[in-house]
């Protein structure tokens, strides 16, 4: 799973929600659209696909310090191996035009930032992507 967001607390909350839901798939956190682009394209320190596999799902904040969640969404949709990968966009202050743009670009879901962890987990589980469920220690 690729999680993109500039807020360390939100990134940790997402990781905690996944651990709480006992999803054991690896989670990679990127702080902005540029870093997410490097990860997806296998550039820089992300060239080793054994160590940095392509994500099964992407969760991105809409507003990032460099770029936007729409940039991340469009990148995923343009990547041949990821074009069907579910992308969840998260924001509290989105305009109707931004929500519409995410919808047209193929977002699997658009959620409010303050959404409860069980809602995010439900969206992930309903995505139809394979997930490993196991014992996970909180804060791991």
């Amino acid at each position: 799973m690729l999680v993109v967001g500039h807020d360390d607390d939100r990134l940790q909350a997402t990781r905690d929600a996944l651990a709480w839901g006992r999803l054991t798939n690896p989670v990679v956190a990127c702080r902005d659209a540029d870093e997410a682009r490097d990860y997806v394209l296998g550039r820089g320190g992300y060239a080793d696909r054994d160590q940095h596999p392509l994500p099964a799902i992407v969760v991105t904040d809409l507003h990032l310090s460099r770029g936007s969640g729409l940039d991340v969404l469009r990148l995923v949709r343009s990547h041949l191996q990821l074009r069907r990968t579910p992308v969840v966009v998260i924001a509290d202050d989105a305009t109707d035009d931004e929500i519409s743009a995410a919808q047209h670009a193929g977002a699997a879901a658009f959620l409010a930032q303050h959404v409860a962890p069980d809602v995010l987990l439900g969206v992930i589980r309903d995505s139809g992507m394979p997930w490993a469920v196991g014992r996970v220690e909180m804060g791991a």
Side-chain angles (χ1 to χ4, degrees):
M1 167 183 242
L2 177 61
V3 179
V4 186
H6 61 278
D7 183 326
D8 289 334
D9 291 336
R10 289 219 7 92
L11 290 172
Q12 187 59 49
T14 301
R15 285 177 184 256
D16 290 346
L18 296 171
W20 174 78
R22 298 179 27 158
L23 297 178
T24 61
N25 295 61
V27 177
V28 174
C30 293
R31 297 186 52 74
D32 57 46
D34 290 342
E35 187 178 352
R37 183 177 301 106
D38 287 346
Y39 187 88
V40 167
L41 298 177
R43 297 190 306 210
Y46 300 116
D48 181 357
R49 281 293 173 218
D50 289 335
Q51 185 179 357
H52 303 290
L54 290 172
I57 193 164
V58 176
V59 177
T60 182
D61 285 348
L62 177 62
H63 301 119
L64 301 168
S65 58
R66 289 188 300 195
S68 75
L70 292 176
D71 296 331
V72 173
L73 173 58
R74 290 180 185 118
L75 169 69
V76 170
R77 289 290 165 263
S78 69
H79 191 284
L80 185 61
Q81 293 174 288
L82 295 176
R83 65 178 180 208
R84 294 182 189 209
T85 299
V87 178
V88 178
V89 179
I90 298 176
D92 273 338
D93 55 353
T95 66
D96 288 342
D97 288 342
E98 289 170 325
I99 295 170
S100 180
Q103 206 173 22
H104 289 294
F110 199 104
L111 303 175
Q113 279 185 341
H114 63 276
V115 69
D118 56 330
V119 174
L120 177 59
L121 289 169
V123 169
I124 291 170
R125 286 191 170 120
D126 290 345
S127 72
M129 300 308 293
W131 287 93
V133 178
R135 296 187 66 175
V136 177
E137 298 298 324
M138 289 300 291

